[in-house]
Amino acid sequence: LLVRSLWRLEQVDPGYEPAGVLTARVPLTLATYKTAADADGFFDRLLDETRALAGVERVGLLDIAPLSGANYSLVYVENRPPVEEADKIHAEVRTAAGDPLQALRIPIVEGRALTDDDRPGAVNTVVVNRALAAALTSGESPLGRRLVIDLGEPYVAEVVGVAGDVREW
């Protein structure tokens, strides 16, 4: 039973291609990186230096890797907050830099992936998965819509792309 369960688990499509992907956790200490700008500078250098390594095709950063945890937040279309508790949609939110979708070979099914131009100081942008897009827009295209993500305070971002679904559990 255990072997059969493991075999079935191996057959599940996670929604991304892990072959050839190297992951690493990079915790930063507050003693060294006192401000968000300090941390951003470190991660910008990390992206640039990793991209320059021989054999590296794509580099992406995520605050939470697939299958390693969750950060659920309330999400809704701007000016359409949920009225009833049953209408609330919670989604797993990730902060990204570089090319994480391309590095994991997660398909973009509509619009575009995030780019280096989508960084702090620019217009806030977001890529959503198919399931969230369908839940928020009842099957209509979410591109160009502005979403509110409750991160303790509202974060408003324009949807620029729709990615394939990735299993989290």
Side-chain angles (χ1 to χ4, degrees):
L1 181 61
L2 178 63
V3 171
R4 185 181 309 142
S5 295
L6 184 58
W7 181 82
R8 282 186 177 158
L9 190 57
E10 284 286 324
Q11 306 310 307
V12 173
D13 178 9
Y16 65 96
E17 179 56 52
V21 174
L22 174 67
T23 63
R25 289 181 186 244
V26 183
L28 301 182
T29 64
L30 287 174
T32 305
Y33 300 94
K34 294 177 175 51
T35 67
D38 293 339
D40 289 346
F42 169 82
F43 287 118
D44 286 342
R45 288 189 305 280
L46 179 64
L47 278 171
D48 292 340
E49 291 175 19
T50 306
R51 284 176 175 147
L53 294 172
V56 172
E57 295 175 16
R58 298 281 185 183
V59 178
L61 302 177
L62 291 171
D63 62 340
I64 304 172
L67 298 174
S68 65
N71 180 18
Y72 286 102
S73 297
L74 175 66
V75 178
Y76 58 90
V77 175
E78 187 177 43
N79 299 321
R80 291 187 6 210
V83 177
E84 302 288 330
E85 187 68 29
D87 296 333
K88 290 183 178 180
I89 297 172
H90 290 84
E92 293 186 30
V93 176
R94 303 280 193 279
T95 301
D99 304 321
L101 297 176
Q102 296 90 330
L104 292 168
R105 294 176 207 80
I106 298 170
I108 298 295
V109 297
E110 187 178 359
R112 66 174 177 83
L114 298 175
T115 68
D116 284 342
D117 293 332
D118 299 307
R119 51 179 57 240
V123 173
N124 294 338
T125 54
V126 65
V127 172
V128 298
N129 68 352
R130 280 186 186 151
L132 182 60
L136 290 172
T137 62
S138 303
E140 297 174 16
S141 174
L143 297 182
R145 298 208 187 193
R146 292 169 48 87
L147 300 184
V148 177
I149 304 166
D150 184 355
L151 300 173
E153 60 181 64
Y155 177 84
V156 180
E158 180 181 334
V159 177
V160 296
V162 178
D165 292 333
V166 173
R167 288 192 176 271
E168 290 297 332
W169 304 106

